[in-house]
Amino acid sequence: MKVNLKIKEDNTVQTVQHEIEDMNILQITQAIKKIKEMFDIAQKDDHLQALLVEVFDESQKR
């Protein structure tokens, strides 16, 4: 799969096409474990919970 990366420097934006490979099952499993660890940490920290709520709310507005 190819993706377009927008590289912003000062007042210019350069678009570069980049090829990415599909993730294998091991990579997906490792990513899910890390995400779970992050949410476990966030459950213990009120400030981090508030930040995550704010980030997810902003992403839904787009």
Side-chain angles (χ1 to χ4, degrees):
M1 174 183 6
K2 291 185 179 182
V3 295
N4 290 325
L5 303 175
K6 290 187 178 181
I7 303 168
K8 297 180 181 181
E9 291 183 21
D10 300 323
N11 293 332
T12 62
V13 177
Q14 178 184 4
T15 302
V16 178
Q17 197 171 60
H18 186 74
E19 178 116 12
I20 59 171
E21 297 178 9
D22 291 337
M23 292 175 65
N24 63 40
I25 191 70
L26 179 61
Q27 291 170 314
I28 292 170
T29 303
Q30 290 172 336
I32 290 170
K33 285 180 182 178
K34 287 297 177 187
I35 292 167
K36 183 187 178 316
E37 286 176 22
M38 291 178 359
F39 278 104
D40 289 344
I41 292 168
Q43 283 183 325
K44 299 172 187 171
D45 185 330
D46 291 337
H47 298 292
L48 194 49
Q49 283 181 22
L51 174 66
L52 289 173
V53 167
E54 184 178 328
V55 167
F56 286 120
D57 284 348
E58 280 298 317
S59 67
Q60 290 180 0
K61 291 178 184 177
R62 293 180 186 177

